[in-house]
Amino acid sequence: MRRGAVRSVVVAGSLVLGGLAQGAGAAVAAAGPEADVGYHGRVALGRGLLRVWMVPENEGPSALANATVRVRLSADLADRQELAGGCARAGLREVVCETGAMPLHGRGRHIGLALALKEAPTEVVVRIDTWWNGGATDRNLTNNEHVVLALDTGDAYAF
């Protein structure tokens, strides 16, 4: 995926969220399709490296052309990161990734991240949520907002 495509998603997400924060985007969100986006996967922490694997899913009732998932950490990311295609760093502790098209009752692209941390913490809190969904309404937020505590054991923790 080209970097320009990732920036487009990041910028579009910023515009949508900026409008919602100001109250102006509520009509935009209600005017879009309705979808039920969810994420399932696992995280593992070992020796300063956090691995995140996830699959975005859409239970409908409408298909989505694309969405953006956000991964936020309780620890700082290392300065240099090699991110998967369609992913971009969004801050000291954040990464965003495109999900790709999600058909009705279908899955987006599998996302795998190996995030180097600035230090080697004994634990990291990982927050996963939808950052941008193309203006779709999602009435079920329980399956797209996750908080996972990963201990520095190398064990995988599911969400």
Side-chain angles (χ1 to χ4, degrees), residues 1-12 66 68 86-87 98:
M1 169 157 293
R2 298 177 324 208
R3 273 211 184 274
V6 173
R7 281 194 200 102
S8 297
V9 170
V10 172
V11 169
N66 202 355
T68 306
C87 296
E98 291 181 309

Side-chain angles (χ1 to χ4, degrees), residues 9 13 20 29 39 55 99 102 114 119 139 155 159:
V9 170
L20 289 175
Y39 307 100
V55 178
T99 63
M102 288 189 288
E119 298 177 7
R139 298 177 197 274
D155 294 330
F159 60 90

Side-chain angles (χ1 to χ4, degrees):
M1 169 157 293
R2 298 177 324 208
R3 273 211 184 274
V6 173
R7 281 194 200 102
S8 297
V9 170
V10 172
V11 169
S14 295
L15 293 174
V16 170
L17 288 178
L20 289 175
Q22 298 170 3
V28 174
E34 183 175 345
D36 182 11
V37 176
Y39 307 100
H40 304 284
R42 59 190 188 275
V43 299
L45 175 63
R47 299 181 186 173
L49 183 67
L50 180 72
R51 296 185 183 278
V52 180
W53 303 274
M54 75 178 98
V55 178
E57 297 178 346
N58 176 21
E59 290 302 317
S62 300
L64 287 178
N66 202 355
T68 306
V69 61
R70 174 174 57 176
V71 178
R72 293 179 290 161
L73 311 176
S74 63
D76 288 348
L77 292 162
D79 293 336
R80 300 192 66 150
Q81 298 289 325
E82 290 191 33
L83 298 173
C87 296
R89 189 169 179 163
L92 292 175
R93 297 179 172 189
E94 291 184 30
V95 173
V96 294
C97 297
E98 291 181 309
T99 63
M102 288 189 288
L104 174 62
H105 300 296
R107 295 180 172 175
R109 68 182 188 92
H110 293 222
I111 299 168
L113 298 168
L115 302 172
L117 302 177
K118 190 164 261 190
E119 298 177 7
T122 58
E123 65 184 35
V124 173
V125 176
V126 182
R127 297 178 189 281
I128 297 164
D129 61 0
T130 300
W131 194 56
W132 176 78
N133 66 4
T137 301
D138 189 340
R139 298 177 197 274
N140 179 15
L141 299 179
T142 60
N143 60 353
N144 67 347
E145 294 180 353
H146 302 283
V147 179
V148 182
L149 174 63
L151 303 177
D152 185 17
T153 60
D155 294 330
Y157 298 91
F159 60 90

